[in-house]
Amino acid sequence: MKKRLKEMEDETSALREMQAKVEKEMGSVQDPANAAGSQINKEEVDSRSIFVGNVDYACTPEDVQQHFQSCGTVNRVTIRTDKFGQPKGYAYVEFLEVEAVQEALSLNESELHGRQLKVTAKRTNVPGMKQFRPRRANPYMGFRGRAPYAPPPFAYAPYGYGKVPRFRMGMRYSPYY
């Protein structure tokens, strides 16, 4: 039994070493210092990028690059697509210089393929910063608000065996009840 246990421990240590080696080669090991560096790198790239909305679905990245070539050297053009490969109607343009962003913002409301472009500076996405939006009341389902105070349940049934008191909400007029 001890011999079998020793073999299993040796096998798991060998697997751990192999996995660490593969992760090192793939570069997927994330240390906190590297993660902070990548966040700073993202912010630096975003400061050199713009968001272009209302892009024609027939536009190619070359068309968008040609349109913004007068602002500065275009490093990359990304036209976002859905899962079927159809364009979503907006693009991101990354420049080599930060000054080119200000020049590109002057091209707001310019035309490309007969459509008026909306150009804004690209914002940095901060994970976990999505604003909370509470659920809205559905007028077709009826609105049931929470009672502001519900007394704790009784330890015993005060109305006899098996009966439990019902707590009602405050009496307010509502045409939907």
Side-chain angles (χ1 to χ4, degrees), residues 8-144:
M8 290 172 65
E9 288 175 353
D10 291 341
E11 190 174 323
T12 57
S13 64
L15 284 172
R16 283 191 186 126
E17 289 175 11
M18 288 171 54
Q19 186 161 356
K21 180 181 171 185
V22 168
E23 285 178 349
K24 184 178 177 185
E25 289 176 1
M26 298 290 286
S28 64
V29 175
Q30 299 248 341
D31 55 343
N34 190 17
S38 68
Q39 181 68 20
I40 292 170
N41 188 24
K42 283 183 185 178
E43 290 175 4
E44 192 268 329
V45 168
D46 288 346
S47 69
R48 295 183 286 125
S49 302
I50 59 169
F51 168 83
V52 184
N54 201 21
V55 177
D56 186 32
Y57 296 118
C59 271
T60 62
E62 290 79 21
D63 295 337
V64 177
Q65 179 177 358
Q66 189 70 30
H67 187 75
F68 288 100
Q69 196 69 40
S70 62
C71 302
T73 309
V74 176
N75 188 24
R76 174 178 31 184
V77 175
T78 307
I79 296 179
R80 298 296 305 205
T81 59
D82 62 6
K83 64 182 179 180
F84 303 110
Q86 302 299 320
K88 288 187 172 184
Y90 63 92
Y92 294 102
V93 180
E94 180 186 332
F95 294 101
L96 288 178
E97 310 88 18
V98 179
E99 298 81 25
V101 172
Q102 295 303 321
E103 303 231 358
L105 291 176
S106 66
L107 288 178
N108 188 22
E109 298 182 1
S110 62
E111 279 199 15
L112 178 66
H113 285 232
R115 295 184 77 167
Q116 208 173 31
L117 299 180
K118 294 177 175 48
V119 181
T120 59
K122 185 172 185 248
R123 62 175 180 83
T124 303
N125 187 24
V126 179
M129 291 300 289
K130 182 177 180 181
Q131 290 184 350
F132 172 72
R133 292 187 192 140
R135 287 182 54 186
R136 293 185 352 206
N138 187 348
Y140 302 106
M141 299 292 285
F143 180 73
R144 290 179 175 81

